[in-house]
Amino acid sequence: GQNIDQPTEMTATEGAIVQINCTYQTSGFNGLFWYQQHAGEAPTFLSYNVLDGLEEKGRFSSFLSRSKGYSYLLLKELQMKDSASYLCAFVTTDSWGKFQFGAGTQVVVTP
Amino acid sequence: SAVISQKPSRDICQRGTSLTIQCQVDSQVTMMFWYRQQPGQSLTLIATANQGSEATYESGFVIDKFPISRPNLTFSTLTVSNMSPEDSSIYLCSVQLEGRRGSPLHFGNGTRLTVT
């Protein structure tokens, strides 16, 4: 079957680094996405990985290992505005648009 | 990106009534989807809204409960019928601008529904 897991909550200090892990199980894996969702707002797209390795976008980086069914999102130089829920989601080869989302990791940034 | 307008943004409804949620996109899109996000849980796909044909529903969701319209490439509605408190949730319209691998979903701001 299909499954996706990520931690419920993480707390880190402003200026620090936080790594949010995501593990998944599926057949026909065809890419993994990361989204940011502030309370009361819509999720916004952060990154996409389909090949193994690290993708860097400014303060945010995302890593994928297909053989391990594992991804992480790395947030560097944390700012208070980074306090949000971070969702990982995968898609499979049978449909581009059917995203399977994790429950989200609530990141709390403290002063 | 696209501007996705969803309304109402929130509503409080009585048990047994129905609510229709509208989703308007500022550009033509092939793929439109309706998701539900219950408190503390992940986004769950309800159905894919197909233009010119019936929506495709995911396991656990049926047309009688969640009828969907897609009259053109920029607009869709989702109706939550015969509501019960278990339907209290955030309902999100989403679109995929390109029908290709790696094309992300873009979401409307959601409709926060409370059923009393």
Side-chain angles (χ1 to χ4, degrees):
Chain A
Q2 297 185 333
N3 193 37
I4 186 164
D5 288 307
Q6 49 182 131
T8 303
E9 184 171 314
M10 304 182 73
T11 301
T13 308
E14 199 173 9
I17 298 173
V18 69
Q19 177 175 313
I20 307 167
N21 296 324
C22 173
T23 58
Y24 63 88
Q25 286 182 306
T26 185
S27 56
F29 173 80
N30 206 23
L32 189 128
F33 293 80
W34 283 95
Y35 281 81
Q36 180 191 60
Q37 186 177 26
H38 285 101
E41 298 183 12
T44 55
F45 169 67
L46 289 178
S47 69
Y48 169 70
N49 295 70
V50 67
L51 300 176
D52 291 351
L54 188 69
E55 295 278 344
E56 297 189 76
K57 277 188 182 181
R59 293 190 300 114
F60 293 2
S61 304
S62 56
F63 172 83
L64 176 68
S65 169
R66 290 172 295 173
S67 62
K68 295 181 180 177
Y70 168 69
S71 175
Y72 67 72
L73 180 70
L74 196 69
L75 284 62
K76 294 178 277 191
E77 301 169 18
L78 278 173
Q79 302 176 8
M80 298 300 291
K81 68 178 181 179
D82 297 329
S83 291
S85 181
Y86 292 85
L87 307 162
C88 61
F90 64 77
V91 291
T92 59
T93 51
D94 61 349
S95 174
W96 305 124
K98 287 174 64 172
F99 285 46
Q100 180 81 22
F101 282 89
T105 298
Q106 186 66 44
V107 171
V108 178
V109 181
T110 59
Chain B
S1 63
V3 176
I4 305 167
S5 303
Q6 195 174 328
K7 59 182 182 182
S9 58
R10 60 178 62 233
D11 208 340
I12 300 173
C13 301
Q14 291 197 337
R15 180 196 298 263
T17 62
S18 298
L19 176 71
T20 296
I21 302 166
Q22 298 181 3
C23 179
Q24 179 75 53
V25 189
D26 69 345
S27 60
Q28 292 187 341
V29 294
T30 304
M31 307 291 280
M32 293 183 77
F33 307 89
W34 288 98
Y35 280 82
R36 181 172 75 180
Q37 187 174 30
Q38 295 181 308
Q41 297 189 27
S42 64
L43 281 77
T44 303
L45 180 62
I46 298 171
T48 302
N50 303 307
Q51 196 267 328
S53 63
E54 272 195 9
T56 306
Y57 289 85
E58 297 301 303
S59 175
F61 298 96
V62 295
I63 187 171
D64 289 347
K65 176 68 175 176
F66 297 102
I68 288 171
S69 79
R70 179 89 193 270
N72 56 53
L73 292 175
T74 64
F75 185 79
S76 178
T77 66
L78 169 75
T79 299
V80 185
S81 303
N82 188 24
M83 288 183 282
S84 67
E86 292 71 35
D87 296 319
S88 297
S89 186
I90 299 172
Y91 292 85
L92 292 153
C93 168
S94 67
V95 304
Q96 201 170 31
L97 299 181
E98 299 174 30
R100 60 163 179 82
R101 185 174 75 173
S103 181
L105 289 180
H106 299 275
F107 290 88
N109 282 333
T111 296
R112 186 179 296 270
L113 171 62
T114 302
V115 183
T116 60

